[in-house]
């Protein structure tokens, strides 16, 4: 079967760094997405990885290891507005398979 | 340019009824995907339409159906509603689907009572 695992919830402190992990087992792999979803809002695109390695975009970075079926999203210099759910999705055979999302709580 | 528009935003239906949800993608986008989001299950893929054809389908019963029109607008229909169908239904559009970035609408919150 196809499966994507993320922690359900994480807590971090404002100004700190947090790493959200995502492991996947899918029948095919054509790329991995990270999306951010604030409560009551639509998910918005953060990053896309198709090759192994680290992609950096401002305070956010995303890492992929295809051999390990593993990705992480790294958020630096956390701000209160980063409190949201972070969704990992794998493109497999032209279909996006989604994780249940990680709710990130930022404390002052 | 205008984003993805879903209507209605909120809907309350009773068990056994049917419902139709609408999604207007970003102009020029030909791929429209539908998802069901519930607190425990996360985002579950329903189906994807591309150029008026269903290209992919998730593991939902036949009560869930959809279609896409020539202007790329899409509708999703759920018949014989069950309490478990209560969820946020999200539509996402992209230029060609697949590896390109998807843009989501605000969703339709369906409550079945």
């Amino acid at each position: 079967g196809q499966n994507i695992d993320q922690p359900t919830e994480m807590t971090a402190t404002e100004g700190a760094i947090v790493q959200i992990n995502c492991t996947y087992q899918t029948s095919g792999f054509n790329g991995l997405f990270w999306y951010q979803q604030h409560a009551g809002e639509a998910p918005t695109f953060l990053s896309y990885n198709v090759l192994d390695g680290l992609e950096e975009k401002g305070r956010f970075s995303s890492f992929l290891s295809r051999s390990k079926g593993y990705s992480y999203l790294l958020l630096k210099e956390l701000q209160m507005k980063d409190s949201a759910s972070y969704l990992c999705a794998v493109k497999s055979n032209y279909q996006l398979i989604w994780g249940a999302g990680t709710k990130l709580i930022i404390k002052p | 340019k205008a984003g993805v528009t879903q209507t209605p935003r909120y809907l309350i239906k009773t068990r056994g009824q049917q419902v139709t949800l609408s999604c207007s993608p970003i102009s020029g986008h030909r791929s429209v995907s539908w998802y069901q989001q519930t607190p425990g299950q996360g985002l579950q893929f329903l189906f994807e339409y591309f150029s008026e054809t269903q290209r992919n389908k998730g593991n939902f019963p036949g009560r869930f159906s959809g279609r896409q029109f020539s202007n790329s607008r899409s509708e999703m229909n759920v018949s014989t509603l069950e309490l478990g169908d209560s969820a946020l239904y999200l539509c996402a559009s992209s230029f060609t689907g697949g590896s390109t970035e998807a843009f989501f609408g605000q969703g339709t919150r369906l409550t079945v009572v």
Side-chain angles (χ1 to χ4, degrees), chain A residues 4-5 24 34-36 38 56 59 62 67 77 86:
Chain A
I4 297 185
D5 287 316
Y24 63 90
W34 283 96
Y35 277 76
Q36 179 190 60
H38 285 101
E56 296 186 78
R59 294 189 299 115
S62 56
S67 62
E77 301 168 18
Y86 291 85

Side-chain angles (χ1 to χ4, degrees), chain B:
Chain B
K1 67 184 173 184
V4 181
T5 304
Q6 289 189 248
T7 57
R9 288 293 309 279
Y10 303 93
L11 206 50
I12 300 176
K13 291 284 190 179
T14 55
R15 276 185 302 175
Q17 285 188 308
Q18 75 162 18
V19 67
T20 299
L21 312 181
S22 179
C23 172
S24 293
I26 292 171
S27 178
H29 285 192
R30 295 163 64 189
S31 169
V32 174
S33 296
W34 287 91
Y35 297 89
Q36 181 193 68
Q37 187 174 39
T38 56
Q41 297 293 319
L43 269 173
Q44 302 291 315
F45 173 73
L46 282 153
F47 28 66
E48 182 208 4
Y49 285 88
F50 182 83
S51 294
E52 301 179 66
T53 300
Q54 188 181 85
R55 187 159 70 172
N56 284 301
K57 190 178 188 304
N59 297 321
F60 277 80
R63 299 185 297 109
F64 292 80
S65 63
R67 58 178 175 168
Q68 187 179 34
F69 301 95
S70 58
N71 62 357
S72 292
R73 189 177 73 85
S74 177
E75 287 183 346
M76 188 190 95
N77 186 75
V78 188
S79 62
T80 320
L81 284 166
E82 300 176 358
L83 294 178
D85 297 333
S86 294
L88 179 67
Y89 290 87
L90 289 164
C91 151
S93 85
S94 62
F95 187 62
T96 58
S99 63
T100 53
E101 176 185 347
F103 296 84
F104 284 84
Q106 292 291 90
T108 295
R109 172 76 62 186
L110 172 65
T111 302
V112 182
V113 297

Side-chain angles (χ1 to χ4, degrees), chain A residues 49-95:
Chain A
N49 293 67
V50 64
L51 299 175
D52 291 351
L54 188 68
E55 295 275 347
E56 296 186 78
K57 193 185 292 186
R59 294 189 299 115
F60 293 9
S61 302
S62 56
F63 172 83
L64 175 66
S65 169
R66 289 172 296 172
S67 62
K68 295 182 179 177
Y70 169 69
S71 173
Y72 67 73
L73 181 69
L74 191 72
L75 292 76
K76 304 175 187 174
E77 301 168 18
L78 286 170
Q79 302 175 10
M80 297 304 293
K81 67 178 182 179
D82 297 329
S83 292
S85 288
Y86 291 85
L87 308 171
C88 169
V90 171
K91 181 194 165 195
S92 172
N93 301 322
Y94 301 102
Q95 180 179 321

